[in-house]
Amino acid sequence: MKKFKFVLSFIAIFALVGIIVGCTTSAQAEDSYVTLDINPSVELIVSPRDKVIYANPLNEDAEILLVDLDLIGMDLEDAIDLIIETSIELGYISADEDTETYVSVSAINQDAELQERIKNRVKEHVNNAFQNKGLMGRAQDKGYQPEFIEEAEGYGVTPGFLFLAKEAVELSDGLLLEDALLMTRDELIEIVKAAREAMKDVAFELRDQFHADRDALIAEYVPQIEALEVQIAEVVAQIEALEEGADATELEATLADLNAQLEALRTEFHDEMAAVRDAFHTQSEALRESFRQAKIQKRQQHQNEVNRFRQDMEERREQMRDRIRDYQNEEDETEETE
């Protein structure tokens, strides 16, 4: 795990000190990891005070949805309403009152009872948003493929925890799944936050290549750094083993030289990683501009439909209220019978 710890500490170099301190503090206060799947698919990290402290796209549609949409610092309920409202504007959710829409929800928290409350609160916010807009939509628990559920059962964890563990493994070079499964939810959430922060300016479509380039640098530099650390430890041990009064000049010179090499290698590693990040940042900005244009086009494409929807929303909301509630309650009844 030594390599993994080094990589995490290096990732932290790229994040602002204030953000990292904030992440550490919030992790102690048990943040929650939340996903919303409409297609777009979005992940949120939410504070104990129901404030969104992180939002990340999980697919290209979510890139378009979230571009220039600042959810950070918003109340969870307002953020969910804005996600749904924007999804309607872009045509991801139909403005047709008879079209049924499902939003799959998952929540992960260190405390199992709190996790369930948060998930139910998110579902309630989603359902309220649909009710207020007079649309046939509802929240439901995130479903997993049978083989994924079977895999989770084999590990003795929930599917949601396995999903988070795999997310952390994917984002962190050197972290093995068997190690991730032994970690707490808070530790996994912290890994996801730190890794996402390190590549927050990298567009979703470029992240696989970003990971590959980053991992290539890690594979090149980390073994060299670890080898120097071993040599330094050996020289330190030799100095400490000298008899009192023995001449340590040569060993101390060797130690100073090794420390200088280590510092130079770490600086070179840092600069190379920064160069990779800058290159992907430039490419990502170009991609985000294309997402902005796609967002404009989608808004224009659905503008007439959305305008009619908004004009009739108040009347439709009153007419559809009971029908929508009955539709949403079907999900609760289904869960009770499972």
Side-chain angles (χ1 to χ4, degrees):
M1 294 297 290
K2 182 176 180 181
K3 178 180 176 183
F4 165 62
K5 291 177 181 176
F6 176 82
V7 172
L8 277 187
S9 66
F10 184 77
I11 286 174
I13 293 173
F14 288 108
L16 294 173
V17 172
I19 293 174
I20 292 300
V21 171
C23 286
T24 302
T25 302
S26 57
Q28 293 171 351
E30 296 185 349
D31 296 335
S32 299
Y33 177 85
V34 173
T35 64
L36 297 172
D37 292 315
I38 308 168
N39 195 35
S41 296
V42 176
E43 69 178 6
L44 305 173
I45 294 178
V46 182
S47 76
R49 295 185 177 182
D50 273 6
K51 295 286 187 181
V52 176
I53 57 178
Y54 186 80
N56 179 67
L58 293 177
N59 57 14
E60 183 175 344
D61 286 330
E63 285 272 23
I64 296 171
L65 173 72
L66 292 182
V67 68
D68 298 331
L69 196 68
D70 189 6
L71 303 177
I72 308 304
M74 293 185 68
D75 289 336
L76 178 59
E77 182 174 11
D78 294 336
I80 289 173
D81 190 76
L82 183 56
I83 288 171
I84 290 177
E85 177 70 23
T86 308
S87 295
I88 294 170
E89 292 176 1
L90 302 179
Y92 293 123
I93 293 176
S94 174
D96 184 344
E97 63 188 43
D98 292 320
T99 300
E100 297 180 355
T101 300
Y102 304 93
V103 178
S104 297
V105 172
S106 71
I108 298 176
N109 187 277
Q110 182 65 20
D111 183 279
E113 291 185 7
L114 182 57
Q115 172 178 299
E116 189 66 19
R117 287 201 300 272
I118 290 166
K119 183 183 69 174
N120 289 334
R121 197 152 62 233
V122 171
K123 290 168 66 177
E124 181 182 358
H125 293 332
V126 170
N127 286 339
N128 287 341
F130 280 115
Q131 287 181 26
N132 292 334
K133 292 169 175 52
L135 290 176
M136 293 290 288
R138 73 182 183 203
Q140 60 185 16
D141 289 349
K142 182 180 177 70
Y144 296 93
Q145 295 296 323
E147 56 269 23
F148 192 88
I149 295 174
E150 184 178 349
E151 182 182 3
E153 290 174 347
Y155 287 123
V157 298
T158 65
F161 185 88
L162 180 59
F163 179 86
L164 179 60
K166 288 191 172 188
E167 181 89 344
V169 169
E170 179 184 345
L171 293 171
S172 303
D173 182 81
L175 177 62
L176 301 176
L177 181 59
E178 51 263 39
D179 294 321
L181 291 170
L182 296 176
M183 301 176 80
T184 67
R185 290 173 174 85
D186 280 348
E187 289 170 336
L188 293 173
I189 290 172
E190 187 62 30
I191 289 171
V192 171
K193 282 197 296 187
R196 293 295 193 200
E197 183 61 39
M199 60 178 186
K200 66 180 180 180
D201 294 327
V202 179
F204 181 83
E205 284 68 22
L206 298 176
R207 287 179 185 175
D208 285 346
Q209 187 58 49
F210 174 79
H211 286 146
D213 290 1
R214 179 204 64 180
D215 292 349
L217 285 175
I218 290 171
E220 177 184 353
Y221 281 94
V222 168
Q224 297 179 62
I225 289 170
E226 290 179 339
L228 280 171
E229 289 174 338
V230 169
Q231 292 179 57
I232 288 170
E234 290 173 349
V235 174
V236 169
Q238 291 175 35
I239 292 173
E240 292 175 347
L242 289 175
E243 295 181 0
E244 187 176 351
D247 185 5
T249 304
E250 185 176 345
L251 286 174
E252 288 173 347
T254 300
L255 181 61
D257 180 61
L258 289 172
N259 279 321
Q261 291 181 48
L262 180 60
E263 182 63 27
L265 192 60
R266 282 177 171 167
T267 299
E268 184 179 332
F269 184 26
H270 176 278
D271 292 345
E272 289 288 341
M273 288 287 275
V276 167
R277 181 177 174 80
D278 289 345
F280 277 96
H281 174 73
T282 301
Q283 295 177 55
S284 295
E285 277 304 304
L287 261 180
R288 286 200 177 90
E289 184 55 37
S290 71
F291 294 145
R292 290 185 183 98
Q293 294 305 314
K295 194 169 189 175
I296 291 171
Q297 291 173 7
K298 281 182 171 293
R299 274 204 170 102
Q300 292 173 343
Q301 179 183 349
H302 298 280
Q303 186 172 13
N304 292 336
E305 180 184 2
V306 171
N307 286 342
R308 288 194 299 271
F309 155 75
R310 285 177 173 156
Q311 289 169 3
D312 301 336
M313 187 169 67
E314 188 69 31
E315 180 181 353
R316 184 180 60 251
R317 180 169 54 199
E318 294 302 318
Q319 293 175 348
M320 298 278 292
R321 189 184 305 276
D322 291 340
R323 181 182 169 193
I324 292 171
R325 284 178 177 168
D326 289 343
Y327 169 68
Q328 291 175 347
N329 288 335
E330 289 176 10
E331 170 66 12
D332 296 331
E333 293 170 1
T334 300
E335 290 177 3
E336 289 174 2
T337 58
E338 288 179 349

